Amino acid sequence: MMKPAPKSLLEFIEGHDCFYILGHREPDGDCIGSQLALASMLQSMGKRAHVLSSGPFNRIEILPFEARFKSEVPAERDFERTAALVLDCSSMSRIGNIAERMPDIPAAFIDHHATAGAVGPYDWLDESAPAVSAMILLLMEAMNHAPTKEEAELLFFGLSTDTGFFRHLDEHSSETFRIAARLVDAGVSPKRVFMAINGGRTLASRRMLGELLLRIQPYYEGRLLVSWVTIDDQQKYGMSSRDSDLLYQLMMGIVDCEVCFVVKQETDDMCTVGLRSRDSVNVAKIAEKYGGGGHRLAAGLSMNGKVNQVVHTLVDAFSSVFSEDTEGK
């Protein structure tokens, strides 16, 4: 059962007139959907809301929303009545370069990721929540705000993104479906949201997907699968051609696969990595060792080095995970 929005957060929102609404760098659908929906609610309450993001908006499905975000912190005339609401992360360290220009104002974090940090007086952290978008709907309901059709579409978009359009949910997820039903009652078309997330792919993206599937390497008797994206791939097929969500689906559907990860060479000396787990392995713990984070079954990190170096390091990092079944073989 999800936690209700704390009274301290409701009072925090009521007690301020203007908000900077932030999310993590490299935003996804849950991050931007919850930011925009929350901003809309605050504006309907007569409050000012600035929606900020460090970007980049690399994911195809969120590109249409990029123009609604500011990359610079606008000035405000009364900082005593101004606050920050930070969504889908629990630390300013994940905000990106925009955090360096934020004024010294109180902040409340709303997040569903695991965190080992201290919890502030206004924070709402709930690991049981399937997405921050679901938390924002509960916040709206706690503040007696009925979501508009556009707000509901934004929240359903975010909820669908973080649940893999509900395929990551198990038998304990009835509350999530009730939340989804309330959003549909507000006017959401699941079919249109599905196409917004999964449609619009280019032929080049499918060809690149084929190459990434061909280079999959198995480790630990096929329990770990690895693929990678080079700079040459991105130049050949286009920067936005990587279809990572479908790639993860296909990799996780392979017999014996328990964990997979994909390394992307971002610059000559830096890579990003996405990790996915079927069920038993907590990939967030692996990511945290290298300054990343995320969920138990889906996490990410950045690491200096070339693709082959990063692959070698992370494959070794999983040795303790699979050691019980590999010792002596």
Side-chain angles (χ1 to χ4, degrees), residues 10 13-17 19 38-48 139-140 143-145 151:
L10 304 183
I13 292 173
E14 292 285 1
H16 292 87
D17 297 329
F19 294 90
L38 179 57
S40 177
M41 181 194 76
L42 294 172
Q43 289 164 350
S44 75
M45 297 168 62
K47 299 178 183 291
R48 298 189 304 284
L139 176 62
M140 288 179 172
M143 302 193 76
N144 297 313
H145 174 82
E151 291 165 359

Side-chain angles (χ1 to χ4, degrees), residues 252-314:
M252 293 304 297
I254 295 173
V255 173
D256 296 328
C257 177
E258 297 178 27
V259 179
C260 70
F261 67 80
V262 179
V263 180
K264 180 185 178 185
Q265 189 84 51
E266 299 285 356
T267 67
D268 286 338
D269 57 359
M270 192 276 289
C271 294
T272 56
V273 184
L275 304 99
R276 298 293 184 271
S277 170
R278 185 193 303 279
D279 184 46
S280 59
V281 179
N282 185 342
V283 291
K285 287 187 176 180
I286 299 292
E288 287 165 4
K289 290 181 180 179
Y290 302 98
H295 305 285
R296 187 173 66 88
L297 303 183
L301 60 97
S302 298
M303 185 181 294
N304 292 331
K306 302 286 188 180
V307 161
N308 59 337
Q309 297 169 320
V310 172
V311 168
H312 179 77
T313 297
L314 290 178

Side-chain angles (χ1 to χ4, degrees), residues 68-138:
R68 300 174 66 175
F69 287 79
K70 299 173 182 176
S71 58
E72 296 293 334
V73 180
E76 267 299 324
R77 56 183 178 270
D78 183 5
F79 281 122
E80 289 187 4
R81 301 287 293 175
T82 301
L85 291 167
V86 186
L87 308 187
D88 208 24
C89 60
S90 56
S91 168
M92 279 292 188
S93 64
R94 293 204 60 216
I95 301 301
N97 55 22
I98 204 166
E100 301 170 2
R101 301 187 291 276
M102 282 293 293
D104 184 16
I105 55 177
F109 293 84
I110 303 175
D111 190 22
H112 69 133
H113 298 92
T115 178
V119 178
Y122 314 113
D123 295 349
W124 181 20
L125 309 179
D126 185 1
E127 290 182 54
S128 70
V132 169
S133 295
M135 299 171 72
I136 297 302
L137 178 63
L138 297 190

